[in-house]
Amino acid sequence: MGFYICKAISVGPFRFNLSKSGVGVSAGVKGLRFGTGPRGNYVHMGRGGLYYRKTLPSGSTGRNQTPNSPELQQSNTEIEHEPLKEIESAHITHMVDSSSADLVAEMNANRKKVRLWPFIAVLGAILTFVVFKNSETPTLALVVAAVSVALTIFASVKDSLRKTTVLFFELEPEIEALYQKLHDSFGQLSSSSSKWHVEAEGAVKDRKRNAGATSVIKRTSISLGIGNPPYVKTNVSVPSIPVGKQTLYFFPDKVLIFEPNGVGAVSYPNLRISVESTRFIEDGSVPRDAKVVDRTWKYVNKRGGPDKRFKDNRELPIALYEDLNFTSDTGLNERIEISRVGHGDGFSSAIAMLAKSI
């Protein structure tokens, strides 16, 4: 129930009700009127300036339903939310399937080999210093220094060869065509104005004070690229996606996962990529290729409109983005988000076709 004092102006059968919230219009007979106003539809009863009003439920859809849209996300981690749940893969040693076990073991063994050049460099510097101190002429010390530098460079090159794995592919025409489709679809992903790695997600506690969002995500801007993994030589161009401390490299037959402490692998038949659109509340600038599908307010009332109790209540755009989730039974669990919708399916389809061909 709600009682209040208001003013009204009658024009024919209609009455225009004036209040602090705005202007509404109603129609009916004395003592019973139905109308609509800034706060929605209502029934209005009473006389002499003392009234009773009851808000009626609305059957409308769209923008007024913003607080009830379960897919709304926001990246403002300063708002009140449940503890963020990390979206991360299992330990790198677990992400190995049977078809890649030997290759991963070789690559990890090579990466663990100790570098020799730092020891040779230090030994050469000490030897040069000793010769310089005990020699009557600097010529011998210069010769020792030159030899030490040459040995250090040779050892550095040798270290790189010892730690490097060579992957040479002879692709059949069918596989080569499918791998080219992967490159083409990857180029579409890369062409998006903005790309993010989604690190964590948490549920929002108070949706009305947080633009109606249902969840908060922590994300980092990333760049997609083409290039070889560290200590790998190959005859193909390899698309790569950075996902936090790990980087995914998409080879013709599998995705190799690299991180500072090791290498993992998931063959394409064991890789799952799900693509879904998400409505995202942007509190910053909207990427130029993103589609704005709706708008909301920093503080919303229960009908989706602006909560007028807050003076700094600004309107926020709701953009449509696309999420790509990479998972496997061996523990891969990563998510990226792109600003342009419609390109994720092509990349997922290219991976699926390569998986069928293996």
Side-chain angles (χ1 to χ4, degrees):
M1 294 185 180
F3 294 91
Y4 59 94
I5 303 296
C6 74
K7 295 182 180 181
I9 299 175
S10 297
V11 179
F14 300 100
R15 175 176 296 171
F16 295 89
N17 307 296
L18 310 179
S19 67
K20 292 182 178 180
S21 300
V23 179
V25 62
S26 63
V29 297
K30 288 185 178 182
L32 177 62
R33 303 187 71 83
F34 296 90
T36 182
R39 299 181 179 177
N41 304 325
Y42 61 88
V43 59
H44 195 100
M45 295 181 289
R47 298 182 62 181
L50 185 63
Y51 298 90
Y52 167 82
R53 185 174 69 180
K54 176 68 175 178
T55 300
L56 301 177
S58 173
S60 62
T61 60
R63 187 169 170 176
N64 286 343
Q65 298 296 321
T66 296
N68 297 324
S69 301
E71 73 277 14
L72 281 177
Q73 295 182 346
Q74 194 174 26
S75 63
N76 182 5
T77 54
E78 295 180 357
I79 67 179
E80 188 177 3
H81 55 78
E82 300 290 342
L84 294 180
K85 183 179 180 181
E86 296 289 335
I87 303 173
E88 61 179 351
S89 300
H91 194 274
I92 194 69
T93 56
H94 297 156
M95 286 187 287
V96 183
D97 47 39
S98 57
S99 63
S100 306
D102 292 339
L103 173 63
V104 170
E106 178 186 347
M107 298 180 75
N108 282 319
N110 288 345
R111 287 164 61 94
K112 291 178 181 179
K113 291 179 179 178
V114 178
R115 298 174 183 270
L116 300 178
W117 75 262
F119 300 99
I120 295 177
V122 171
L123 182 60
I126 295 174
L127 185 59
T128 301
F129 178 76
V130 172
V131 172
F132 179 77
K133 282 293 187 179
N134 295 281
S135 177
E136 296 180 355
T137 62
T139 305
L140 182 58
L142 291 176
V143 172
V144 173
V147 172
S148 298
V149 171
L151 290 175
T152 301
I153 295 174
F154 176 79
S156 177
V157 174
K158 189 67 174 178
D159 286 341
S160 296
L161 294 176
R162 292 170 59 247
K163 295 174 70 68
T164 297
T165 302
V166 178
L167 299 178
F168 187 83
F169 293 90
E170 292 184 358
L171 302 179
E172 297 179 357
E174 179 186 357
I175 302 299
E176 187 175 5
L178 293 178
Y179 195 48
Q180 184 59 50
K181 287 185 178 181
L182 186 148
H183 270 269
D184 294 340
S185 59
F186 182 81
Q188 292 182 327
L189 292 182
S190 302
S191 67
S192 297
S193 296
S194 297
K195 287 85 62 179
W196 303 273
H197 170 230
V198 182
E199 303 175 27
E201 184 174 11
V204 170
K205 290 184 177 180
D206 188 352
R207 298 180 63 184
K208 291 196 298 182
R209 292 179 182 268
N210 299 303
T214 56
S215 63
V216 170
I217 66 172
K218 180 182 178 182
R219 64 183 187 179
T220 303
S221 181
I222 59 175
S223 296
L224 311 186
I226 301 290
N228 292 343
Y231 300 110
V232 173
K233 297 295 183 182
T234 181
N235 63 327
V236 296
S237 299
V238 187
S240 64
I241 300 178
V243 285
K245 65 180 181 180
Q246 299 175 341
T247 304
L248 310 180
Y249 289 89
F250 295 86
F251 283 83
D253 58 341
K254 62 174 65 65
V255 55
L256 291 178
I257 304 103
F258 282 74
E259 67 175 42
N261 297 323
V263 181
V266 177
S267 60
Y268 288 143
N270 297 324
L271 177 64
R272 295 186 296 270
I273 304 178
S274 62
V275 182
E276 57 186 13
S277 299
T278 181
R279 286 156 46 95
F280 194 92
I281 301 171
E282 275 291 0
D283 54 2
S285 59
V286 178
R288 64 179 181 272
D289 60 354
K291 181 180 180 180
V292 176
V293 295
D294 206 343
R295 293 188 176 273
T296 186
W297 302 87
K298 183 178 180 181
Y299 304 104
V300 295
N301 58 33
K302 59 184 179 180
R303 289 183 51 79
D307 192 329
K308 297 185 178 181
R309 295 174 299 173
F310 299 91
K311 294 182 179 180
D312 62 339
N313 196 2
R314 59 190 177 94
E315 195 174 31
L316 300 174
I318 300 177
L320 191 66
Y321 294 153
E322 195 162 71
D323 286 358
L324 284 79
N325 299 275
F326 301 87
T327 59
S328 73
D329 293 336
T330 52
L332 180 64
N333 181 31
E334 301 293 346
R335 183 197 304 179
I336 67 168
E337 192 165 72
I338 60 175
S339 57
R340 183 182 294 181
V341 175
H343 288 168
D345 287 331
F347 187 72
S348 176
S349 176
I351 295 291
M353 287 188 289
L354 279 171
K356 291 181 180 179
S357 68
I358 298 176

